[in-house]
Amino acid sequence: MKVIRKYNETSLIIRIVIGLIIGTILGILFKNLPIGILGDLFKGALRSIAPVLVFVLITNSLASSNTGMDKRFGRVIFLYMISTFLAAVVAVTVSFAFPQTLVLTEKAAHEAAAPGGIGEVMTNLLNTIVMNPIEALAKGQYLSILFWSVLLGLALKSIAAETSKTFLNDISEGISTLVRWIINLAPFGIMGLTYQMVSANGLGVFETYGSLLLVLVGSMLMVALVVDPLIAFLFLHRNPYPLVFRCLKESGIMAFFTRSSAANIPVNMELCEKLLLDEEMYSVAIPLGSTINMDGAAITITIFTLATCNTVGVRVDFATALILSVLATFAACGASGVAGGSLLLIPMACSLFGISADVAMQAVGIGFIIGVVQDSVETALNSSGDVMFAATAEYTQWIKDGHPEKLPKFLGGQRDTNV
């Protein structure tokens, strides 16, 4: 019991770092230890519970809300979408400035197929939205989960009895608690995942794909530290960096290790409470953000697609690449809220340039190899942005309503935030 108590009292970040170090050392020294199963179990648990969490949270929030959607919701959706689009534009610009290539097999490097076209892509996206909700939960199709949970929540709001709403709230709290339990065991999962990566690929993976990683991470840091703060400044007309760094510290670091925007929802909800946001607003905006606020996913899809084009000799001009930015924005909204979700959408973007699925899947494979860094930074950017833009939307409304004093002190207001 003392060991368990000491474990729970130690900072989760410290525990995760320890697990990361142990996993790396064991991966270098030993090749066939069974601890990799811990990583599979952790990843599987998050992948299984995250879709249910999103569905229940959104349904409960809308069913229990006392007011209709106001300007804050429209504003936060706009912020999510414009930041995702601008992230894709940054990725295009960086890719042209520092073009990348991938190491593909000789056979695959010469294969090509007819383009699927944007029309086909959008048709598939719309069909995904209205797919069977049970199937969507099983497969982790978050756009469909979002669609059905919103409809069910609005329906229950008008017809459900108070006892039903109380039951739904209890289920929501219960699922959130389950996720917290899983995250509390993250150090063991991170140790297993790190061991698998290092023992299978060695540390040489960072040398082989160092340039690609630098472009990916550099683009994400540019969005996190320049583009997103600029967007927040244009709305708040205040220095946004205290808010940016608060979100990166309390949401981004945790998301970096769990590698799941959906699983990080309870962490973000707690941070929103500390930032004095209205629960009716953030209880919908945060699960929504885990689905459509996908800056990192848009960057990953764009950079990998253009790198694949460079590798197989497909010439892409800047204007066409900007079309890819639009496609990447919509594609990113369909990215799964669990580890590696954005990588599986690379073939869809590659089809725009006539690149076969076989070639594109090799790019996906490379993505999974470097995912221990790429996917971690991507998720940190996505998840911290969920809170930052939810706060920006609400704080902007307070300013427009003539109540700047309601803002936290770090933004020039008069209220102390919870520490």
Side-chain angles (χ1 to χ4, degrees), residues 46-63:
L46 287 180
R47 183 183 291 115
S48 299
I49 198 65
V52 181
L53 174 70
V54 172
F55 184 84
V56 171
L57 283 178
I58 293 179
T59 302
N60 175 60
S61 298
L62 291 175

Side-chain angles (χ1 to χ4, degrees), residues 5 57 79 138 149 214 216 239 272 278 295 304 339 386 402 404 408 411:
R5 189 181 305 112
L57 283 178
L79 288 169
S149 62
L214 190 62
L216 284 163
N239 177 12
C272 285
D278 177 9
D295 297 9
F304 265 100
D386 294 348
L411 286 178

Side-chain angles (χ1 to χ4, degrees), residues 249-309:
K249 175 185 174 183
E250 298 194 30
S251 171
I253 292 178
M254 184 61 66
F256 179 91
F257 290 110
T258 62
R259 295 171 62 189
S260 173
S261 296
N264 210 48
I265 288 175
V267 176
N268 283 351
M269 302 273 265
E270 184 177 346
L271 176 55
C272 285
E273 183 179 359
K274 293 178 181 179
L275 293 174
L276 311 174
L277 303 186
D278 177 9
E279 185 176 357
E280 283 195 2
M281 196 280 289
Y282 72 70
S283 61
V284 177
I286 295 302
L288 181 67
S290 73
T291 303
I292 68 172
N293 181 41
M294 291 288 177
D295 297 9
I299 289 171
T300 296
I301 294 167
T302 301
I303 288 178
F304 265 100
T305 300
L306 292 178
T308 306
C309 289

Side-chain angles (χ1 to χ4, degrees), residues 325-380:
S325 298
V326 177
L327 176 65
T329 301
F330 286 105
C333 293
S336 173
V338 296
S342 62
L343 296 173
L344 300 179
L345 292 166
I346 293 172
M348 181 175 67
C350 284
S351 70
L352 178 67
F353 303 103
I355 298 173
S356 71
D358 289 339
V359 174
M361 285 309 296
Q362 290 189 57
V364 173
I366 294 170
F368 277 108
I369 291 174
I370 64 174
V372 68
V373 175
Q374 167 267 324
D375 196 46
S376 296
V377 178
E378 174 185 316
T379 310

Side-chain angles (χ1 to χ4, degrees), residues 8 19 71 150-151 156 186 193 240 259 280 302 317 385:
N8 290 325
K71 294 180 180 178
V150 167
L151 289 185
L156 290 174
L193 291 171
R259 295 171 62 189
E280 283 195 2
T302 301
D317 58 50

Side-chain angles (χ1 to χ4, degrees), residues 223-244:
V223 171
L225 300 177
V226 179
V227 176
D228 285 355
L230 178 60
I231 295 173
F233 171 76
L234 293 175
F235 277 79
L236 296 172
H237 303 291
R238 286 164 169 76
N239 177 12
Y241 283 100
L243 175 62
V244 171

